[in-house]
Amino acid sequence: MEYLPNIIFAIVLIAGIGYFAKNVKKLIRNIKLGHKVDASDHTSERWKNVVNIALGQSKMVKRPVSGFLHVIVYVGFVIINIEVLEIIIDGIFGTHRIGLSILPESVYGFLIGAFEILALLVLVSVIIFWIRRNIIKIRRFMGSDLKGWPKSDGNIILYFEVVLMILFLVMNATDTSFQNMEAGNVISQFIAPWFEGFSEGTLFTIERTAWWLHIVGILVFLNYLYFSKHLHILLAFPNVYYGKVVPKGKFNNLDAVTAEVKLMMDPDADPYAAPAETEEDEVPAKFGGSDVMDLSQVQLLSAYTCTECGRCTSECPANLTGKKLSPRKIMMDTRDRLEEVGKNIDANNGEFKDDGKQLLGDYITNEELWACTTCNACVEACPVSIDPLSIIMDMRRYLVMEQSAAPMELNNMMTNIENNGAPWPYNQMDRLKWKDE
């Protein structure tokens, strides 16, 4: 019976990490449903982006209030969880604060003291975030695309963080041996008086309960990530690495279309002499994309990475003028459809069975796609280098090249360019008549 708590702890730890690994495997499989993208170029620039954008939060702080609070939560939560290593060792081997037997008391006290200060800062920041969402009701958190689960998800994660920080401080405050050190209890020393008059046995029970709830809560939090927008905690780094490094206004060309244009311009030319810009087949099975399988792995990774912060939508001129387009919704719809496809595959022994649905039409409407002005404001605003515009353009490409479903105004413009060399319905010979008026 002496080792029963250690055995229970090991079982809980293995189960928590095992379930997380299972979901990560499913996540990777879903992302691999997209076609591969060559990201071997601009290696130094990609790593620079990871350091500046993902690690340094450089785009996050462009909005100083939310950016500063996010940095506190981000840094605090990551650093505080270093203490989880001690908890795991203690749980497996039955020790208590193993760090004290490894580090000098002053060093250990300094570390735990820093953790407590960060825990308090995280607690304050999370409460402010909750107020911004639920009392002040900032506009970008009130969009129609955030109703239901997405809105609840944002609050649930805040509650998680509040509970975990409180448990950490209570655990320290009720650990009498730690409090007697009088080192490291920077914040918990003010909580300890709340438990004065409790017996040693009661204090021990409270400390152990907080200890268990803290580590179990972290494991639950870890596994909750897969079902939450907070998956970006893990995916922001690869997403920034694979993010766009060429000028934002540059769109990719289909090799098959480029080859045809070259033949039209010069029938004697070798249309495939130039190196291909993508890894697509010479003649793709489908031009553009109508479902998640037609998108790239980077686009699907971005769908899972989306933080649903709404910065993209709050900057979108189409959305600001009342159009139905919301770049955030584009990413959320892509992720929802990808999850639906993943469940379809799970239910059919690893094979996708046609469900009669697709991303275009069932999730994203033509009206949303054609409302986009291709200004790249959403791409510039995203703090983790997501590119909603690339998905919009791939689906537009499908509408135009596969279904000939461009709006009448666009068809007229393209006809004018073909016939007159300009978007306007005037003969080339009449171009300068305006100067005579």
Side-chain angles (χ1 to χ4, degrees):
M1 294 294 291
E2 179 183 355
Y3 298 104
L4 183 60
N6 309 65
I7 295 171
I8 294 174
F9 181 88
I11 292 172
V12 171
L13 185 66
I14 292 170
I17 294 176
Y19 186 64
F20 175 71
K22 178 183 176 182
N23 282 331
V24 167
K25 184 178 179 181
K26 188 185 300 183
L27 175 74
I28 294 172
R29 180 209 61 192
N30 289 353
I31 291 173
K32 285 187 174 180
L33 293 174
H35 58 78
K36 292 182 179 179
V37 173
D38 181 15
S40 60
D41 61 334
H42 301 88
T43 304
S44 60
E45 186 176 353
R46 292 181 185 279
W47 281 114
K48 182 180 178 182
N49 287 341
V50 170
V51 172
N52 291 338
I53 299 174
L55 189 62
Q57 307 277 292
S58 61
K59 295 185 74 173
M60 198 73 203
V61 296
K62 287 185 177 180
R63 297 192 180 191
V65 174
S66 58
F68 178 69
L69 293 172
H70 187 274
V71 168
I72 291 176
V73 174
Y74 164 71
V75 173
F77 203 76
V78 170
I79 293 179
I80 291 169
N81 281 330
I82 294 175
E83 191 244 355
V84 174
L85 294 174
E86 182 184 51
I87 292 179
I88 291 174
I89 295 172
D90 286 344
I92 293 175
F93 296 104
T95 54
H96 182 68
R97 293 193 180 269
I98 188 67
L100 273 173
S101 61
I102 299 173
L103 301 171
E105 185 176 299
S106 58
V107 175
Y108 182 81
F110 172 79
L111 289 174
I112 299 300
F115 295 164
E116 287 196 357
I117 292 172
L118 286 170
L120 179 62
L121 291 174
V122 169
L123 198 56
V124 172
S125 299
V126 166
I127 291 172
I128 295 174
F129 276 140
W130 186 89
I131 292 172
R132 283 162 58 86
R133 280 178 173 269
N134 299 280
I135 297 179
I136 299 177
K137 295 184 177 181
I138 291 175
R139 184 177 180 273
R140 59 190 171 100
F141 297 133
M142 295 296 110
S144 59
D145 49 348
L146 275 190
K147 290 182 179 178
W149 166 248
K151 182 175 178 61
S152 300
D153 177 37
N155 284 326
I156 288 171
I157 211 74
L158 296 178
Y159 300 144
F160 252 119
E161 291 171 351
V162 167
V163 171
L164 289 176
M165 294 304 102
I166 290 175
L167 287 171
F168 170 68
L169 293 174
V170 169
M171 179 181 74
N172 286 349
T174 53
D175 187 341
T176 53
S177 61
F178 173 71
Q179 290 297 317
N180 290 335
M181 277 175 48
E182 295 185 354
N185 57 342
V186 182
I187 305 300
S188 58
Q189 63 176 314
F190 300 105
I191 302 175
W194 301 351
F195 300 95
E196 285 182 357
F198 286 66
S199 66
E200 286 291 326
T202 302
L203 286 174
F204 176 78
T205 300
I206 295 174
E207 188 271 338
R208 286 292 86 189
T209 302
W211 185 91
W212 273 99
L213 290 176
H214 185 66
I215 186 61
V216 170
I218 287 173
L219 291 173
V220 172
F221 176 85
L222 178 68
N223 283 284
Y224 178 74
L225 291 182
Y226 176 78
F227 307 96
S228 166
K229 73 189 185 72
H230 285 75
L231 196 56
H232 74 270
I233 293 173
L234 304 177
L235 298 185
F237 293 89
N239 193 77
V240 169
Y241 180 84
Y242 288 106
K244 199 169 186 178
V245 289
V246 297
K248 289 184 175 63
K250 182 179 180 181
F251 296 112
N252 67 311
N253 294 321
L254 291 175
D255 295 333
V257 175
T258 302
E260 290 298 324
V261 171
K262 287 181 178 179
L263 283 174
M264 290 170 61
M265 301 297 291
D266 184 2
D268 298 324
D270 180 1
Y272 296 103
E277 292 188 13
T278 68
E279 294 185 2
E280 299 174 9
D281 296 330
E282 291 184 357
V283 181
K286 181 191 291 186
F287 292 110
S290 62
D291 209 348
V292 290
M293 289 79 79
D294 306 321
L295 302 178
S296 73
Q297 292 179 3
V298 173
Q299 289 169 323
L300 300 185
L301 171 64
S302 291
Y304 275 122
T305 307
C306 179
T307 70
E308 298 177 12
C309 66
R311 292 190 179 202
C312 54
T313 297
S314 68
E315 297 285 347
C316 175
N319 185 273
L320 291 173
T321 54
K323 306 293 194 304
K324 285 190 175 182
L325 173 64
S326 166
R328 173 173 60 189
K329 179 179 177 295
I330 296 293
M331 303 313 301
M332 293 170 65
D333 286 342
T334 303
R335 181 183 61 214
D336 290 345
R337 173 57 180 165
L338 184 55
E339 274 293 290
E340 184 178 48
V341 169
K343 291 176 182 178
N344 182 308
I345 293 173
D346 291 337
N348 292 284
N349 301 316
E351 297 291 332
F352 176 70
K353 184 177 180 180
D354 186 12
D355 57 1
K357 298 171 69 176
Q358 61 177 7
L359 182 61
L360 178 60
D362 294 296
Y363 285 85
I364 300 173
T365 65
N366 293 14
E367 182 180 354
E368 292 173 82
L369 298 176
W370 292 115
C372 177
T373 66
T374 67
C375 68
N376 270 298
C378 56
V379 184
E380 180 63 31
C382 181
V384 288
S385 300
I386 292 172
D387 186 0
L389 179 58
S390 66
I391 296 177
I392 293 172
M393 294 306 296
D394 279 350
M395 298 179 81
R396 278 186 177 182
R397 180 177 282 165
Y398 174 82
L399 288 173
V400 173
M401 301 186 72
E402 292 281 347
Q403 295 190 334
S404 300
M408 180 180 65
E409 296 85 354
L410 187 58
N411 281 329
N412 289 339
M413 183 196 74
M414 290 189 289
T415 300
N416 290 331
I417 290 175
E418 182 179 358
N419 294 334
N420 306 321
W424 302 281
Y426 304 112
N427 188 286
Q428 293 188 35
M429 300 299 295
D430 298 332
R431 279 185 178 180
L432 293 178
K433 282 191 175 181
W434 62 272
K435 70 181 180 63
D436 298 329
E437 297 179 3

PDB file of all heavy atoms in Angstrom, residues 316 318 323-325 366-374 396:
ATOM      1  N   CYS A 316     -10.554  43.424 -41.633  1.00  0.00           N
ATOM      2  CA  CYS A 316     -11.047  43.124 -42.993  1.00  0.00           C
ATOM      3  C   CYS A 316     -11.989  44.231 -43.484  1.00  0.00           C
ATOM      4  O   CYS A 316     -13.053  44.453 -42.886  1.00  0.00           O
ATOM      5  CB  CYS A 316     -11.775  41.780 -42.991  1.00  0.00           C
ATOM      6  SG  CYS A 316     -12.539  41.357 -44.561  1.00  0.00           S
ATOM      7  N   ALA A 318     -13.910  44.275 -46.057  1.00  0.00           N
ATOM      8  CA  ALA A 318     -15.194  43.725 -46.499  1.00  0.00           C
ATOM      9  C   ALA A 318     -16.118  43.531 -45.302  1.00  0.00           C
ATOM     10  O   ALA A 318     -17.301  43.888 -45.328  1.00  0.00           O
ATOM     11  CB  ALA A 318     -14.976  42.402 -47.231  1.00  0.00           C
ATOM     12  N   LYS A 323     -20.165  43.229 -45.282  1.00  0.00           N
ATOM     13  CA  LYS A 323     -20.203  42.003 -46.096  1.00  0.00           C
ATOM     14  C   LYS A 323     -20.159  40.773 -45.184  1.00  0.00           C
ATOM     15  O   LYS A 323     -19.767  40.846 -44.022  1.00  0.00           O
ATOM     16  CB  LYS A 323     -19.004  41.959 -47.051  1.00  0.00           C
ATOM     17  CG  LYS A 323     -18.855  43.192 -47.931  1.00  0.00           C
ATOM     18  CD  LYS A 323     -19.983  43.319 -48.919  1.00  0.00           C
ATOM     19  CE  LYS A 323     -19.673  44.352 -50.012  1.00  0.00           C
ATOM     20  NZ  LYS A 323     -19.352  45.689 -49.477  1.00  0.00           N
ATOM     21  N   LYS A 324     -20.545  39.635 -45.718  1.00  0.00           N
ATOM     22  CA  LYS A 324     -20.611  38.410 -44.917  1.00  0.00           C
ATOM     23  C   LYS A 324     -19.242  37.797 -44.652  1.00  0.00           C
ATOM     24  O   LYS A 324     -19.103  36.933 -43.794  1.00  0.00           O
ATOM     25  CB  LYS A 324     -21.500  37.371 -45.606  1.00  0.00           C
ATOM     26  CG  LYS A 324     -22.982  37.678 -45.508  1.00  0.00           C
ATOM     27  CD  LYS A 324     -23.815  36.503 -46.001  1.00  0.00           C
ATOM     28  CE  LYS A 324     -25.310  36.772 -45.785  1.00  0.00           C
ATOM     29  NZ  LYS A 324     -26.143  35.621 -46.222  1.00  0.00           N
ATOM     30  N   LEU A 325     -18.231  38.233 -45.371  1.00  0.00           N
ATOM     31  CA  LEU A 325     -16.911  37.638 -45.221  1.00  0.00           C
ATOM     32  C   LEU A 325     -16.326  37.893 -43.830  1.00  0.00           C
ATOM     33  O   LEU A 325     -16.314  39.016 -43.338  1.00  0.00           O
ATOM     34  CB  LEU A 325     -15.954  38.213 -46.276  1.00  0.00           C
ATOM     35  CG  LEU A 325     -14.488  37.794 -46.133  1.00  0.00           C
ATOM     36  CD1 LEU A 325     -14.330  36.297 -46.338  1.00  0.00           C
ATOM     37  CD2 LEU A 325     -13.616  38.571 -47.104  1.00  0.00           C
ATOM     38  N   ASN A 366     -20.309  31.145 -51.739  1.00  0.00           N
ATOM     39  CA  ASN A 366     -19.722  31.941 -52.817  1.00  0.00           C
ATOM     40  C   ASN A 366     -19.706  33.427 -52.463  1.00  0.00           C
ATOM     41  O   ASN A 366     -18.763  34.155 -52.790  1.00  0.00           O
ATOM     42  CB  ASN A 366     -20.507  31.735 -54.117  1.00  0.00           C
ATOM     43  CG  ASN A 366     -20.376  30.331 -54.663  1.00  0.00           C
ATOM     44  OD1 ASN A 366     -19.924  29.420 -53.969  1.00  0.00           O
ATOM     45  ND2 ASN A 366     -20.783  30.138 -55.902  1.00  0.00           N
ATOM     46  N   GLU A 367     -20.753  33.866 -51.780  1.00  0.00           N
ATOM     47  CA  GLU A 367     -20.856  35.281 -51.421  1.00  0.00           C
ATOM     48  C   GLU A 367     -19.690  35.707 -50.541  1.00  0.00           C
ATOM     49  O   GLU A 367     -19.135  36.796 -50.709  1.00  0.00           O
ATOM     50  CB  GLU A 367     -22.181  35.532 -50.692  1.00  0.00           C
ATOM     51  CG  GLU A 367     -22.399  36.996 -50.328  1.00  0.00           C
ATOM     52  CD  GLU A 367     -23.711  37.235 -49.611  1.00  0.00           C
ATOM     53  OE1 GLU A 367     -24.510  36.280 -49.488  1.00  0.00           O
ATOM     54  OE2 GLU A 367     -23.937  38.379 -49.163  1.00  0.00           O
ATOM     55  N   GLU A 368     -19.315  34.848 -49.606  1.00  0.00           N
ATOM     56  CA  GLU A 368     -18.177  35.159 -48.736  1.00  0.00           C
ATOM     57  C   GLU A 368     -16.894  35.273 -49.551  1.00  0.00           C
ATOM     58  O   GLU A 368     -16.085  36.184 -49.349  1.00  0.00           O
ATOM     59  CB  GLU A 368     -18.020  34.071 -47.679  1.00  0.00           C
ATOM     60  CG  GLU A 368     -19.141  34.011 -46.649  1.00  0.00           C
ATOM     61  CD  GLU A 368     -18.997  32.807 -45.738  1.00  0.00           C
ATOM     62  OE1 GLU A 368     -18.215  32.894 -44.770  1.00  0.00           O
ATOM     63  OE2 GLU A 368     -19.663  31.785 -45.988  1.00  0.00           O
ATOM     64  N   LEU A 369     -16.695  34.340 -50.471  1.00  0.00           N
ATOM     65  CA  LEU A 369     -15.461  34.309 -51.255  1.00  0.00           C
ATOM     66  C   LEU A 369     -15.314  35.544 -52.130  1.00  0.00           C
ATOM     67  O   LEU A 369     -14.236  36.142 -52.215  1.00  0.00           O
ATOM     68  CB  LEU A 369     -15.419  33.051 -52.111  1.00  0.00           C
ATOM     69  CG  LEU A 369     -15.406  31.709 -51.366  1.00  0.00           C
ATOM     70  CD1 LEU A 369     -15.452  30.550 -52.348  1.00  0.00           C
ATOM     71  CD2 LEU A 369     -14.161  31.604 -50.486  1.00  0.00           C
ATOM     72  N   TRP A 370     -16.388  35.946 -52.783  1.00  0.00           N
ATOM     73  CA  TRP A 370     -16.291  37.068 -53.717  1.00  0.00           C
ATOM     74  C   TRP A 370     -16.334  38.413 -53.015  1.00  0.00           C
ATOM     75  O   TRP A 370     -16.071  39.453 -53.631  1.00  0.00           O
ATOM     76  CB  TRP A 370     -17.397  36.978 -54.772  1.00  0.00           C
ATOM     77  CG  TRP A 370     -17.211  35.818 -55.697  1.00  0.00           C
ATOM     78  CD1 TRP A 370     -18.024  34.734 -55.825  1.00  0.00           C
ATOM     79  CD2 TRP A 370     -16.131  35.617 -56.610  1.00  0.00           C
ATOM     80  NE1 TRP A 370     -17.524  33.866 -56.751  1.00  0.00           N
ATOM     81  CE2 TRP A 370     -16.355  34.380 -57.265  1.00  0.00           C
ATOM     82  CE3 TRP A 370     -14.989  36.344 -56.945  1.00  0.00           C
ATOM     83  CZ2 TRP A 370     -15.497  33.861 -58.211  1.00  0.00           C
ATOM     84  CZ3 TRP A 370     -14.122  35.825 -57.894  1.00  0.00           C
ATOM     85  CH2 TRP A 370     -14.380  34.604 -58.521  1.00  0.00           C
ATOM     86  N   ALA A 371     -16.636  38.414 -51.709  1.00  0.00           N
ATOM     87  CA  ALA A 371     -16.598  39.674 -50.957  1.00  0.00           C
ATOM     88  C   ALA A 371     -15.160  40.106 -50.666  1.00  0.00           C
ATOM     89  O   ALA A 371     -14.901  41.274 -50.382  1.00  0.00           O
ATOM     90  CB  ALA A 371     -17.369  39.537 -49.652  1.00  0.00           C
ATOM     91  N   CYS A 372     -14.216  39.175 -50.754  1.00  0.00           N
ATOM     92  CA  CYS A 372     -12.814  39.467 -50.426  1.00  0.00           C
ATOM     93  C   CYS A 372     -12.205  40.428 -51.441  1.00  0.00           C
ATOM     94  O   CYS A 372     -12.362  40.267 -52.650  1.00  0.00           O
ATOM     95  CB  CYS A 372     -12.009  38.170 -50.388  1.00  0.00           C
ATOM     96  SG  CYS A 372     -10.250  38.402 -50.065  1.00  0.00           S
ATOM     97  N   THR A 373     -11.479  41.412 -50.933  1.00  0.00           N
ATOM     98  CA  THR A 373     -10.821  42.393 -51.806  1.00  0.00           C
ATOM     99  C   THR A 373      -9.356  42.036 -52.073  1.00  0.00           C
ATOM    100  O   THR A 373      -8.653  42.796 -52.730  1.00  0.00           O
ATOM    101  CB  THR A 373     -10.870  43.801 -51.179  1.00  0.00           C
ATOM    102  OG1 THR A 373     -10.072  43.794 -49.983  1.00  0.00           O
ATOM    103  CG2 THR A 373     -12.296  44.206 -50.835  1.00  0.00           C
ATOM    104  N   THR A 374      -8.895  40.921 -51.534  1.00  0.00           N
ATOM    105  CA  THR A 374      -7.505  40.441 -51.656  1.00  0.00           C
ATOM    106  C   THR A 374      -6.501  41.495 -51.191  1.00  0.00           C
ATOM    107  O   THR A 374      -5.416  41.627 -51.748  1.00  0.00           O
ATOM    108  CB  THR A 374      -7.164  39.996 -53.096  1.00  0.00           C
ATOM    109  OG1 THR A 374      -7.175  41.112 -53.972  1.00  0.00           O
ATOM    110  CG2 THR A 374      -8.129  38.947 -53.590  1.00  0.00           C
ATOM    111  N   ARG A 396     -11.806  30.359 -55.058  1.00  0.00           N
ATOM    112  CA  ARG A 396     -12.201  31.191 -56.208  1.00  0.00           C
ATOM    113  C   ARG A 396     -11.708  30.563 -57.506  1.00  0.00           C
ATOM    114  O   ARG A 396     -12.418  30.554 -58.512  1.00  0.00           O
ATOM    115  CB  ARG A 396     -11.599  32.589 -56.062  1.00  0.00           C
ATOM    116  CG  ARG A 396     -12.351  33.542 -55.171  1.00  0.00           C
ATOM    117  CD  ARG A 396     -11.691  34.898 -55.279  1.00  0.00           C
ATOM    118  NE  ARG A 396     -12.361  35.923 -54.530  1.00  0.00           N
ATOM    119  CZ  ARG A 396     -11.985  37.197 -54.510  1.00  0.00           C
ATOM    120  NH1 ARG A 396     -10.927  37.575 -55.208  1.00  0.00           N
ATOM    121  NH2 ARG A 396     -12.638  38.090 -53.808  1.00  0.00           N
TER     122      ARG A 396
END
